[in-house]
Amino acid sequence: MNLRALRILWVVARYRLDTLIPLDRLPPLLRLAVRLSPLRLLPTGPHSRGRRLRLALESLGPIFVKFGQMLSTRRDLLPPDIADELRRLQDQVPPFPGERARSVIEEELECSVETAFAHFDTDPMASASVAQVHAARLHSGEDVVVKVIRPGIDRVMRQDIALMYTLARLLRRVPEARRLRPVEVVADYEATLFDELDLHKEAANTSQLKRNFKGSPLLYVPSIHWPLTRRRMLVQERIHGIPVADLEALQAQGTDLKRLAERGVEIFFTQVFRDNFFHADMHPGNIFVARGRPHDPQYIAIDCGIVGSLTREDQDYLARNLLAFFHQDYYEVAVLHIESGWVGEGTRANEFAAAIRAVCEPILEKPLKDISFGQVLLGLFQTARRFNMEVQPQLVLLQKTLLNIEGLGRQLYPDLDLWQTAKPYLERWMKDRAGPRGLWASLQKQAPELSRQLPELPVLAHQALARVESEQRQRRQQVDSLTRIQDDMAQETRRSRRLRVGALILALALAWQPLQAWALEQPWPVLVAAALGAVLLAWR
């Protein structure tokens, strides 16, 4: 792990990534530290800043490449030269030799490539951080693609995850960073990332997504060829769409880019709220557009290695939160955060609402087309520090996907009204969920279980009544016991008081003559104090 940390530092120095830090945004002390850094003595080399960043991420491995893929969709946050270079990380990562891919395939299938395929292209079609893809043809004549996991990739990933755990544990010691729950976030990311290395899981995810959008004009998902799919290789129907980032090709066929961007938003919200199963790696390298239907554009999704889902409670809270934002009802947002446990129970809703309003109003005053979900989320994260709002690991994947969708939508159609596009869908979903139709659907779903339990209802009712009667009898017994204890304690108190009074009277009687002589010599304040003390002794 220490060697891995040293390698990361070496790569940062080699590609002079310190030159990408915006010094004017740093605190004065940190700015001075960067300016005095010995790295500034090293040459930057012949490459542009964007190319240096891309090469550094490629050399550091899959976790860093995925970070670059996510950044590549945010042209609203990055300079164009850096965004253009990072775009190459989507499907142009340096490949591993095709012969090694053949070896992996033959190990997994336990037969030769020629036995499994009528044709196999050793040169890869595309190469990404975790795997690369080769064109092939089945003996039945069907064109397919074969996805093969990079050999040895799990070792590098485990080193990076171990380093992330170390940093997370250090962060957990900082009080302000504890609410970010860094260890839980890394654990969630680790599970998601290593799922990508099992292509059986990706194939199952792909089949589920295809089933969810069967016959839909919005999204097409290619079929899996299960007989040749294994843990380290996946065989899938070959598609011939246009890469979603190829704006020139999309414009050349006359694609309605506005409708395409809006359909991307609709697909996202359909996956999250209707199906509760969303593609969580929607960078442009995994998304294509069908050819030949420019006025009715349809997406094609591949690489379902990372998917997400939410609990029913998180679904409801998320939908209600988004709708409250759309309606600028900040008090409702604050109440929902408190109810869901995302902020502490002691948080005052009106104070939290005022803080959220201060963040959102300057943004929402802009024309809707200029609103960025990314800006809203960053502002809310800063506000959350004041109220000790904890990061929800189960929502991190969703937030990352939402930022990808927004970046992609703005790339296709810069005037995309993301909020206005999402609002009708969410309102319709909430109405269906909470209205008569949702109630009827819920009853239909639970009907088999209800019909099974119906004959048992009399017995269950009798058992429930018996439990209630038993609990009431126990409560009466407890009340009687408490009453007896209270009576005993009161009686003991009275007995103790009588003993104190008797002892005091006896003491006064025995010491009366000395006390009388002493009292005649004392001033009246001393006598009053002595009498008061005697009364208190008798009373308590």
Side-chain angles (χ1 to χ4, degrees), residues 42-342:
L42 300 175
T44 56
H47 302 309
S48 66
R49 60 179 184 174
R51 183 175 172 81
R52 282 188 282 118
L53 178 58
R54 176 177 64 81
L55 292 174
L57 295 176
E58 285 179 355
S59 65
L60 287 173
I63 291 179
F64 294 87
V65 169
K66 286 191 172 298
F67 178 68
Q69 290 172 346
M70 184 181 72
L71 284 179
S72 70
T73 65
R74 300 311 312 233
R75 288 183 168 269
D76 54 326
L77 304 178
L78 294 176
D81 60 318
I82 293 180
D84 288 340
E85 277 292 338
L86 294 183
R87 177 181 162 185
R88 298 182 62 184
L89 294 175
Q90 293 163 9
D91 58 3
Q92 297 180 43
V93 177
F96 59 89
E99 289 303 322
R100 295 193 67 185
R102 291 176 67 97
S103 299
V104 171
I105 292 170
E106 291 177 346
E107 286 175 14
E108 290 293 310
L109 296 179
E110 297 181 346
C111 67
S112 67
V113 168
E114 288 73 21
T115 301
F117 301 99
H119 170 74
F120 179 84
D121 192 347
T122 306
D123 296 326
M125 295 172 57
S127 182
S129 57
V130 172
Q132 68 186 31
V133 176
H134 295 258
R137 184 177 300 113
L138 301 177
H139 290 291
S140 61
E142 180 184 355
D143 287 332
V144 294
V145 294
V146 183
K147 183 174 182 178
V148 184
I149 294 289
R150 285 180 175 270
I153 194 67
D154 56 335
R155 179 178 55 82
V156 178
M157 289 171 61
R158 290 186 192 284
Q159 290 176 342
D160 286 342
I161 288 292
L163 183 61
M164 291 171 70
Y165 269 120
T166 301
L167 296 174
R169 292 188 186 101
L170 290 173
L171 274 176
R172 195 168 56 179
R173 297 179 182 178
V174 180
E176 285 193 2
R178 198 171 296 138
R179 66 181 181 80
L180 300 177
R181 299 169 68 183
V183 174
E184 289 86 347
V185 170
V186 172
D188 197 63
Y189 185 55
E190 177 186 24
T192 301
L193 201 61
F194 278 95
D195 277 350
E196 277 199 276
L197 299 184
D198 187 349
L199 294 183
H200 261 139
K201 291 183 179 179
E202 178 178 333
N205 293 339
T206 304
S207 295
Q208 178 67 56
L209 191 64
K210 183 177 182 64
R211 197 158 47 247
N212 291 346
F213 284 87
K214 184 177 181 180
S216 170
L218 301 176
L219 180 68
Y220 179 80
V221 181
S223 303
I224 297 294
H225 186 72
W226 281 102
L228 295 178
T229 294
R230 300 289 187 274
R231 185 177 180 277
R232 292 191 296 161
M233 63 172 287
L234 178 150
V235 180
Q236 188 173 25
E237 170 192 356
R238 184 173 181 178
I239 52 101
H240 298 279
I242 301 171
V244 73
D246 192 348
L247 292 178
E248 292 183 2
L250 293 174
Q251 290 168 346
Q253 76 162 9
T255 304
D256 186 341
L257 294 180
K258 178 177 184 293
R259 192 170 189 188
L260 182 65
E262 290 174 347
R263 282 191 164 185
V265 176
E266 185 177 352
I267 289 170
F268 171 75
F269 282 95
T270 300
Q271 290 181 78
V272 172
F273 293 106
R274 187 195 72 181
D275 303 328
N276 193 21
F277 187 86
F278 59 93
H279 191 312
D281 197 17
M282 297 185 73
H283 65 76
N286 292 337
I287 305 172
F288 296 81
V289 179
R291 297 179 184 273
R293 43 189 305 170
H295 304 297
D296 184 28
Q298 183 185 45
Y299 284 93
I300 304 172
I302 62 171
D303 193 355
C304 301
I306 302 178
V307 297
S309 61
L310 304 173
T311 65
R312 184 182 178 89
E313 291 77 13
D314 281 338
Q315 263 189 317
D316 285 335
Y317 279 121
L318 184 64
R320 290 164 65 191
N321 264 294
L322 289 172
L323 282 174
F325 271 117
F326 294 153
H327 294 123
Q328 295 175 251
D329 186 351
Y330 305 115
Y331 188 80
E332 175 70 6
V333 173
V335 169
L336 287 168
H337 275 68
I338 295 170
E339 285 181 359
S340 65
W342 296 350

Side-chain angles (χ1 to χ4, degrees), residues 464-477:
L465 289 172
R467 279 197 301 269
V468 169
E469 185 178 351
S470 174
E471 289 171 359
Q472 288 177 343
R473 187 165 52 252
Q474 289 177 356
R475 280 197 293 271
R476 284 196 298 269
Q477 291 173 350

